[in-house]
Amino acid sequence: MTNNKGNIEEFLRKRMEGLENELQGDWSAFEKKLDRAIYFRRVRRASFVGTLTVLMGLVYFGGNYFQYRSAGSDVANEEMMPNVEQVITEDSGIEEVSVGSVVTTTNDIVDQPVASSHTETKQINDLPSETEETTSSISSGVSEALNSVFPALASAASDVEASEEEATLLALADENESSDEQQDFIRDFGNETPLKLGWKSFLDNSDLEMKKGSSGQTHLDLGSMSGIDVGSTFIAVRSPISPVKIKKQKTGPYISPLQESSPWSYSLNVYPNFTFRKFKVDEDKRNLLHRDFIDAVEVSEKGGFSLNVGLEISRRIGAIVYLNTGVEYISYNTNARFNFSHFREANINGVTGEIESYTLKGEPEQITFSDNNAYHYLNFPLSISYKPWASDHIRLNIETGASLLYFMSASGKSLNYKTLDIIDLSERDYNKYIASFSVKVGANYFVSPKINLAFEPTLVYFTNTIYSEDYPFYVIPYSVGLNLKLQVKLN
Amino acid sequence: MNSKPEHIIRVEDLGAFVQPKEFLLTNSEQELVAACKAGNRIAQKRIYELFSGKMINVCRRYVNDMDQARDLMHDGFIKVFLNIQKFREESSLETWVTRIMINNSISSIKKEIKKGIKVNIDDVRLKETETVDFDLVQKQPITAKQVFEKMKELPIGYRTVLSLYVLDGYTHKEIGSQLGISEGTSKSQLAKGKRMLARILKEAYL
């Protein structure tokens, strides 16, 4: 038994070492493939950078949007806060006590009768100027004195939610902001709210302990209260009030003034689009294709630009959520450049259609032509989009959907995949309908309510090949668009 | 005094160095790699011309069809040039390029290889004790090309493992992970492949 294991391995290594083939004239064919690969790598990198930029823009604008919104909601809350004085003056019933209604006593006020009805209270309330003047003169001891005299007030006030009190104080602070006297009130009373300071229960004269002072004037024994003099046995009090919850208005997403008022909108869209095709050979059917066809088509095609036009119909289904449909004319353009030597004919099996061998041609034929290949479709999209406003003029758009494409025509030149004869694209059979899915993330700039410019990178993937025949190769177009869209509202 | 490299022209008026289009290459691999990393097309062409002859045979070990092998080689060189930045010069450039070619070739026909390995090859029923006297065979004036052609007659599984182990220096563990088979299967395929090749060569040249 001869051990041939080591022998054959050594034999193979020695024989195969340095075995080389000379591939003459191969560099040019390879160079085209290399150029194409470099080109697509740049497109991939550009798409990645573009997507990253858009995402960063979304994060930035989204952050600003939410910041804007939260700042706006604070303002909105304050704005929505009912002007308490107005509530009292405008409303039919007294529901709240405002700063202006803190009871102060002056000789003038004292002269007024005690309010026993709402209307009378309203009259009392209609003394804003006097009230404001006297408000500033109330010392800090008043609050403590009042609370000690009217403990029910203090406890009742504590029942009211702190946020409502703060809201009231905010509103009151705004009202009082304009004058130094009003600032003094805030300083003096600090966290004390008018609800605590005011009266919650109806007071009648019997609740008040009146004392006659040395001057002969009656005083309300309120401890260290100063500056308050009672010239009569009456103290003007307000009519009964009851605590009211100040409801904060619910704030939804920010809506720009430029947003359309009607839920339906119709617009004309115009946008350029970049398309490239993925050309794939079915491995099981490679024998059905002329070898040189695969090489020629792979290096010949480059993506191309096209201009798409469409009518879009949108229905607003939420504050900023839309359902979109419409009809578009779209075309997918590719640039085809062929430059190769047709030096062999395929010998085709008549039964199976497979290429069994090749026969060299007597004289090689140089095939050189370039053409713009275009595939025209009517597109019927259906999508849902979420469009928050980042500012008055800038609106984001996150959209996804599907569409049905109806094939209209194809124009341009290509090669017959078996014989390498030049053919017109219209000679091939195409699927009448193809479907696609799309994702779009971008931003719109509203020049006016009716015109906006959009930058919306879009990725569209087609679910089936464009050819209907049982071709041994299939072409699935990917549409990658850094779409710059001009949208004109028609209503 | 600074010696001027051959491939640099000094433009005295501009006071700057200008590199002309024609880059006179030296034989140094390092310079070639550096030029390729800079995207120099002539350097790329030089590397292609240096290695394409060998690489086409590397690819042809794994696919029978010459055109398919050429496609694989082109794809391999594209990967070489697009990823040249990753070449760390820990091995020779040829070794690195060869590895890329092999990986590329095997990836493209992995399904076929696995299928071939799983098929019970009964074309040549070799008994375990049967041996081939190879001493006489290796004394025959058989050219490399002839050996190469005969290797193509092996079933794809045998041929792949034989090429990877004997010619490309892969271990059985590496072959197993590359093809998705066990080490034992790899060893078995190798043994059967060698026996079969020895028999084919003996029948052809003795």
Side-chain angles (χ1 to χ4, degrees):
Chain A
M1 182 171 140
T2 306
N3 184 2
N4 63 359
K5 288 185 183 176
N7 290 343
I8 193 167
E9 287 182 22
E10 272 307 307
F11 170 79
L12 277 176
R13 285 194 193 104
K14 281 183 183 171
R15 285 290 189 277
M16 302 298 278
E17 199 177 49
L19 176 66
E20 284 194 30
N21 250 332
E22 281 192 24
L23 294 172
Q24 292 184 1
D26 192 53
W27 167 254
S28 55
F30 169 72
E31 192 179 14
K32 287 175 189 170
K33 286 185 184 178
L34 181 62
D35 286 338
R36 190 162 177 268
I38 291 171
Y39 169 76
F40 278 117
R41 186 171 72 160
R42 285 179 187 155
V43 167
R44 275 195 302 271
R45 282 183 177 172
S47 301
F48 175 74
V49 170
T51 306
L52 202 62
T53 307
V54 166
L55 284 173
M56 286 171 67
L58 278 174
V59 168
Y60 175 74
F61 283 119
N64 283 346
Y65 164 68
F66 287 114
Q67 209 173 3
Y68 180 89
R69 185 185 154 187
S70 62
S73 66
D74 289 341
V75 172
N77 281 343
E78 292 170 10
E79 289 174 346
M80 287 309 299
M81 195 62 57
N83 186 328
V84 179
E85 275 199 1
Q86 289 176 356
V87 168
I88 295 171
T89 56
E90 292 169 7
D91 204 347
S92 56
I94 305 300
E95 293 183 337
E96 190 55 75
V97 175
S98 70
V99 172
S101 65
V102 170
V103 174
T104 59
T105 56
T106 61
N107 287 333
D108 294 331
I109 294 173
V110 162
D111 288 335
Q112 294 175 7
V114 174
S116 59
S117 69
H118 292 305
T119 51
E120 288 177 328
T121 306
K122 191 177 174 186
Q123 290 172 3
I124 294 169
N125 288 340
D126 285 341
L127 298 170
S129 57
E130 292 173 341
T131 306
E132 285 167 3
E133 285 171 10
T134 53
T135 299
S136 61
S137 66
I138 295 173
S139 68
S140 59
V142 168
S143 60
E144 292 174 9
L146 286 172
N147 280 337
S148 64
V149 172
F150 304 105
L153 279 175
S155 60
S158 66
D159 290 338
V160 178
E161 289 185 11
S163 59
E164 295 168 354
E165 295 174 2
E166 285 175 10
T168 310
L169 187 59
L170 271 174
L172 298 169
D174 284 341
E175 292 172 19
N176 292 308
E177 225 171 275
S178 54
S179 70
D180 292 336
E181 294 157 344
Q182 291 163 351
Q183 288 288 350
D184 288 340
F185 171 77
I186 299 295
R187 186 191 64 237
D188 291 340
F189 287 86
N191 289 331
E192 295 297 334
T193 67
L195 287 171
K196 288 183 183 174
L197 297 171
W199 275 251
K200 285 200 164 184
S201 56
F202 182 75
L203 302 169
D204 59 19
N205 295 336
S206 60
D207 293 331
L208 300 171
E209 188 177 350
M210 307 303 296
K211 287 184 178 177
K212 278 198 174 178
S214 53
S215 61
Q217 289 183 325
T218 54
H219 298 272
L220 182 62
D221 185 11
L222 294 176
S224 60
M225 183 185 286
S226 61
I228 297 174
D229 201 2
V230 182
S232 76
T233 56
F234 297 101
I235 294 177
V237 296
R238 297 294 181 187
S239 58
I241 56 174
S242 57
V244 173
K245 284 189 179 179
I246 297 172
K247 288 183 183 176
K248 289 183 188 176
Q249 189 188 29
K250 277 187 182 176
T251 56
Y254 170 68
I255 306 296
S256 162
L258 296 177
Q259 179 162 306
E260 66 284 337
S261 54
S262 165
W264 287 97
S265 66
Y266 311 91
S267 54
L268 190 67
N269 297 340
V270 179
Y271 57 95
N273 194 28
F274 175 82
T275 311
F276 69 92
R277 299 205 301 174
K278 183 174 174 169
F279 179 77
K280 208 169 173 180
V281 175
D282 193 337
E283 286 301 320
D284 294 333
K285 297 177 183 173
R286 199 171 260 268
N287 290 337
L288 297 173
L289 288 167
H290 196 297
R291 286 298 314 175
D292 298 336
F293 172 81
I294 301 170
D295 295 339
V297 168
E298 278 183 340
V299 300
S300 71
E301 279 211 354
K302 289 187 178 177
F305 284 95
S306 59
L307 198 65
N308 303 331
V309 181
L311 172 70
E312 184 182 89
I313 301 168
S314 288
R315 173 71 165 94
R316 195 169 65 240
I317 56 176
I320 49 173
V321 178
Y322 291 79
L323 202 60
N324 312 301
T325 186
V327 58
E328 293 175 333
Y329 161 77
I330 59 175
S331 69
Y332 295 105
N333 293 345
T334 57
N335 295 315
R337 279 188 299 167
F338 292 94
N339 182 15
F340 68 99
S341 174
H342 180 21
F343 63 95
R344 54 182 176 175
E345 298 281 5
N347 300 321
I348 304 167
N349 185 311
V351 176
T352 62
E354 289 186 2
I355 295 173
E356 294 177 327
S357 59
Y358 294 92
T359 306
L360 290 175
K361 290 179 77 164
E363 281 185 20
E365 181 188 352
Q366 189 68 23
I367 296 180
T368 305
F369 71 92
S370 67
D371 204 359
N372 183 43
N373 292 351
Y375 305 84
H376 308 278
Y377 290 87
L378 274 182
N379 185 35
F380 300 95
L382 180 66
S383 65
I384 186 162
S385 54
Y386 174 69
K387 298 184 177 183
W389 287 93
S391 69
D392 280 354
H393 286 272
I394 295 175
R395 189 172 205 179
L396 308 176
N397 182 26
I398 303 165
E399 188 174 330
T400 183
S403 68
L404 183 68
L405 287 95
Y406 172 74
F407 173 77
M408 290 167 60
S409 65
S411 59
K413 288 187 170 41
S414 185
L415 299 175
N416 181 296
Y417 63 87
K418 281 196 167 125
T419 63
L420 299 188
D421 294 333
I422 298 174
I423 60 166
D424 202 280
L425 282 181
S426 57
E427 292 177 27
R428 288 189 179 150
D429 288 323
Y430 298 89
N431 278 323
K432 266 298 178 198
Y433 297 97
I434 57 177
S436 73
F437 295 101
S438 65
V439 172
K440 192 185 292 187
V441 176
N444 295 38
Y445 179 79
F446 277 68
V447 178
S448 70
K450 288 203 180 290
I451 296 176
N452 74 80
L453 301 169
F455 173 67
E456 295 178 337
T458 306
L459 178 66
V460 181
Y461 177 76
F462 295 87
T463 57
N464 49 317
T465 179
I466 64 174
Y467 296 112
S468 65
E469 264 188 45
D470 191 17
Y471 280 93
F473 59 92
Y474 43 96
V475 181
I476 299 178
Y478 292 90
S479 174
V480 177
L482 294 175
N483 292 336
L484 298 172
K485 186 170 76 176
L486 169 67
Q487 189 173 55
V488 178
K489 296 276 172 72
L490 299 175
N491 64 328
Chain B
M1 181 178 154
N2 292 331
S3 60
K4 185 183 72 177
E6 285 183 355
H7 53 276
I8 301 294
I9 295 175
R10 180 175 295 178
V11 179
E12 300 288 350
D13 292 339
L14 296 176
F17 287 92
V18 173
Q19 196 167 15
K21 280 186 180 178
E22 285 302 314
F23 182 81
L24 299 175
L25 295 173
T26 68
N27 290 327
S28 166
E29 265 189 14
Q30 287 176 345
E31 288 190 15
L32 272 179
V33 168
C36 267
K37 285 180 179 177
N40 187 297
R41 185 49 61 92
I42 294 176
Q44 290 173 341
K45 185 180 178 184
R46 182 75 181 131
I47 286 177
Y48 182 85
E49 286 168 352
L50 276 175
F51 298 123
S52 58
K54 279 185 184 172
M55 296 307 135
I56 187 67
N57 287 321
V58 169
C59 295
R60 283 186 69 198
R61 286 183 214 150
Y62 304 101
V63 292
N64 272 335
D65 187 23
M66 179 64 176
D67 293 320
Q68 197 178 352
R70 190 168 57 135
D71 291 340
L72 288 174
M73 186 193 70
H74 284 173
D75 290 343
F77 269 111
I78 286 173
K79 285 180 183 171
V80 165
F81 294 133
L82 290 183
N83 295 293
I84 193 76
Q85 309 292 340
K86 296 178 187 173
F87 177 61
R88 287 200 177 83
E89 300 180 22
E90 291 164 352
S91 61
S92 70
L93 182 61
E94 184 178 339
T95 306
W96 188 67
V97 172
T98 306
R99 279 271 162 159
I100 290 176
M101 292 293 163
I102 292 167
N103 293 340
N104 193 44
S105 304
I106 289 174
S107 301
S108 70
I109 55 168
K110 206 166 185 173
K111 274 186 193 172
E112 216 177 317
I113 293 171
K114 274 190 120 170
K115 194 178 164 187
I117 287 172
K118 283 179 183 170
V119 167
N120 187 13
I121 308 285
D122 286 328
D123 292 341
V124 178
R125 293 179 185 278
L126 294 174
K127 294 177 187 175
E128 283 190 15
T129 55
E130 186 176 342
T131 59
V132 176
D133 188 357
F134 199 70
D135 288 336
L136 290 173
V137 175
Q138 63 184 338
K139 288 174 184 173
Q140 301 302 312
I142 308 170
T143 64
K145 221 170 183 178
Q146 287 169 326
V147 173
F148 189 78
E149 292 300 319
K150 291 302 171 190
M151 270 187 76
K152 288 192 333 186
E153 292 180 22
L154 292 172
I156 188 168
Y158 295 172
R159 186 173 76 235
T160 305
V161 175
L162 191 66
S163 300
L164 285 171
Y165 185 84
V166 175
L167 301 174
D168 297 320
Y170 279 59
T171 63
H172 287 295
K173 192 177 178 183
E174 288 171 337
I175 293 170
S177 68
Q178 186 75 266
L179 300 181
I181 58 176
S182 66
E183 278 188 54
T185 306
S186 173
K187 289 175 184 172
S188 157
Q189 292 287 305
L190 177 68
K192 289 179 184 174
K194 286 194 292 190
R195 277 209 297 270
M196 192 171 179
L197 180 63
R199 188 185 60 76
I200 291 171
L201 288 171
K202 183 186 171 188
E203 285 173 2
Y205 299 108
L206 273 186

